Amino acid sequence: MATLPAPATDPTIDAALAALEGEEARQQPRGYLGMSAIGHECSRRLWYSFRWAAREHMTATSLLRINDGHRGEDVMAGMLRRVPGVRLMTTDPRTGEQWAFADHGGHFRGHADGMITGLLQAPKALHVWEAKVVAEDKQRKLAALCYQIGEKNALRQWDSIYYAQAQVYMHYAAAPRHYITVGTPGVRAVTSARTDYDAAEADRLRAKALEVITAAEPLPKISIDPAFWQCKFCPAAEVCHRKQLPAVSCRTCAHATPELDGDGRWSCARWGADIPVDAQRSGCDQHRYIPALVTVAKPVDADEAANWIEYEAPGGVRFRNGSGPGGLSSEEIRAGAWQQRAQGVAA
């Protein structure tokens, strides 16, 4: 059989997509636990994200889908505003900005697409409004669920993460209902579902968020099997299952604590001071890994005053995360300097 020529590519488009991915990679991680993510089943994944121990790097395709979602939101908002009696507010009149909610000392935050009243099926009820753009088959699944089990039950069965987002938004907005409009790419078709507020579910999710924020170490993982489908595609898989050490930042340091009496405040026990967000991103030379994150070895000794933690790796080789003779900085440990020491001992 003759060899077929490779499909033609456009170097300009390829460069544009690469630039899009590069721009996203340079974006700083958010400084809070997002209400839009609290529905993820694995609390460890949420903890890693909050602690900047793992970050999802999006492909150009994913970024284009997000852009499609932003444009679709504008289209759906325009459609709704054409209906007599419907009042859609996409900005909070008190602030002039997007509807925003915060809890747990500002460490748990979310932003709703809008608030809406005057729906023809429930004219008097206040609804939190969210707009989503999804693939055609997923959009059709929501429409089918609304028919099969009723729209009030459809969102929970359709997408548990969107459902959790809806519940916490209703809680903080003091709104009894949620209204989601779901379009296909290009918004060529739209379906919707309304959901009632469930106080018990909202409280459970708020408690879950507080646990993630205040946990000093990684929470239990959803599975110990790296091939489990949720683990296989998780952005934290390398850290969680393959013993990769996370990037050095204040949030992976044993000295840092998220405080609940402020607006996203973090404190440093080493320096006895608050840590500005910009400073959190790079940490300092006194950074010492949270011991549970050093999965290549186990902690065996420590000196708080001298600021070192000693570990023992498989084979009995010991190394210290700290300054002084034989000590290794967190960056050196992450780069594998302890392995070089182990090889030297073995030789």
Side-chain angles (χ1 to χ4, degrees), residues 13-282:
I13 296 298
D14 291 344
L17 295 175
L20 184 63
E21 290 184 359
E23 182 179 337
E24 187 276 336
R26 291 189 292 273
Q27 296 295 316
Q28 299 290 356
R30 62 173 51 170
Y32 56 85
L33 176 63
M35 293 179 184
S36 61
I38 195 61
H40 278 294
E41 191 174 352
C42 184
S43 291
R44 177 174 284 204
R45 170 178 175 161
L46 295 172
W47 189 91
Y48 281 140
S49 176
F50 179 63
R51 289 282 182 156
W52 299 344
R55 181 183 174 188
E56 182 176 4
H57 292 288
M58 296 187 183
T59 64
T61 300
S62 296
L63 294 168
L64 291 172
R65 286 175 181 152
I66 292 172
N67 289 335
D68 196 25
H70 293 321
R71 291 190 297 268
E73 178 185 331
D74 292 337
V75 171
M76 285 183 269
M79 292 169 55
L80 292 168
R81 287 183 170 124
R82 289 183 173 89
V83 179
V86 167
R87 186 187 182 204
L88 173 61
M89 296 176 289
T90 51
T91 57
D92 186 339
R94 298 168 297 182
T95 63
E97 299 179 353
Q98 187 178 13
W99 294 91
F101 312 113
D103 198 358
H104 303 323
H107 295 293
F108 186 41
R109 294 180 178 272
H111 301 83
D113 291 338
M115 302 292 159
I116 190 168
T117 57
L119 296 181
L120 300 185
Q121 57 271 55
K124 295 181 180 180
L126 173 66
H127 293 70
V128 176
W129 176 64
E130 284 291 308
K132 307 293 183 184
V133 173
V134 301
E136 287 86 349
D137 57 346
K138 182 164 184 173
Q139 194 255 13
R140 287 194 295 268
K141 183 178 179 180
L142 176 60
L145 284 169
C146 288
Y147 176 77
Q148 294 164 2
I149 61 177
E151 67 168 333
K152 296 294 185 70
N153 300 308
L155 181 58
R156 185 169 199 164
Q157 293 296 320
W158 182 65
D159 193 300
S160 59
I161 294 176
Y162 290 164
Y163 177 78
Q165 180 184 23
Q167 289 298 336
V168 293
Y169 284 180
M170 282 188 281
H171 175 84
Y172 294 113
R177 290 176 184 164
H178 180 271
Y179 182 56
I180 188 170
T181 55
V182 180
T184 58
V187 197
R188 293 183 176 89
V190 183
T191 193
S192 69
R194 292 188 304 131
T195 305
D196 288 333
Y197 173 57
D198 183 334
E201 180 66 7
D203 286 343
R204 184 189 72 82
L205 293 165
R206 291 179 62 239
K208 177 182 177 181
L210 183 61
E211 181 184 34
V212 170
I213 291 163
T214 57
E217 296 184 346
L219 294 166
K221 62 179 73 177
I222 192 172
S223 174
I224 62 172
D225 181 4
F228 179 62
W229 70 273
Q230 289 196 43
C231 298
K232 187 175 181 180
F233 300 103
C234 178
E238 293 297 321
V239 173
C240 189
H241 286 287
R242 301 182 183 94
K243 298 189 175 183
Q244 180 185 86
L245 271 68
V248 171
S249 77
C250 287
R251 299 209 180 182
T252 57
C253 179
H255 299 309
T257 301
E259 304 291 352
L260 299 179
D261 60 343
D263 187 18
R265 184 169 74 89
W266 284 73
S267 67
C268 176
R270 181 66 179 171
W271 298 114
D274 288 354
I275 321 170
V277 173
D278 289 343
Q280 292 174 29
R281 301 191 188 284
S282 57

